Amino acid sequence: MAKKSLIQREKKRQKLEQKYHLIRQSLKKALSKATSLSEKWEIQGKLESLPRNSAPTRLHRRCFSTGRPRATYRDFGLSGHILREMVHEGLLPGATRSSW
């Protein structure tokens, strides 16, 4: 189980990213349409003035049940070992246990 503080920090980043998503998107679009160098620098300065944690690259996918940051499957939102346990218990329809 991940520390609760880390999970809360990730939730805070998600809220910030949603809050500034449209602003960031419009600034990037304006940056691509800008013609003069001084215009581009001005827009880039506005982009840099946005909170750092509002950038989508700062988000990290975590396991839904445990909060584990690594080995998380996108389709299920679960980490590998939790996914395996659920398959063994038959909780995921369509998933089969591997054996060879």
Side-chain angles (χ1 to χ4, degrees):
M1 187 74 183
K3 289 170 106 179
K4 291 186 180 185
S5 60
L6 295 177
I7 294 171
Q8 292 303 317
R9 188 182 305 164
E10 195 63 36
K11 287 181 182 178
K12 183 179 177 183
R13 284 185 185 135
Q14 288 174 350
K15 286 180 186 176
L16 269 175
E17 196 273 331
Q18 289 174 354
K19 181 179 178 182
Y20 289 98
H21 179 73
L22 292 176
I23 297 170
R24 186 176 295 276
Q25 194 175 17
S26 64
L27 284 173
K28 284 189 173 189
K29 195 175 285 186
L31 185 65
S32 66
K33 290 182 180 178
T35 54
S36 68
L37 188 61
S38 61
E39 231 180 301
K40 287 185 179 185
W41 280 28
E42 184 181 330
I43 296 169
Q44 185 65 33
K46 289 178 184 176
L47 262 174
E48 289 174 0
S49 68
L50 294 177
R52 182 174 283 182
N53 280 335
S54 70
T57 55
R58 306 265 302 186
L59 295 177
H60 201 89
R61 212 172 266 108
R62 287 187 172 268
C63 176
F64 181 72
S65 64
T66 61
R68 182 178 157 87
R70 297 183 181 188
T72 305
Y73 287 81
R74 290 183 187 187
D75 297 336
F76 303 102
L78 298 168
S79 62
H81 72 282
I82 297 294
L83 183 70
R84 186 169 188 263
E85 288 174 5
M86 290 179 80
V87 168
H88 286 310
E89 293 171 9
L91 298 174
L92 292 175
T96 56
R97 295 171 59 175
S98 63
S99 60
W100 58 85

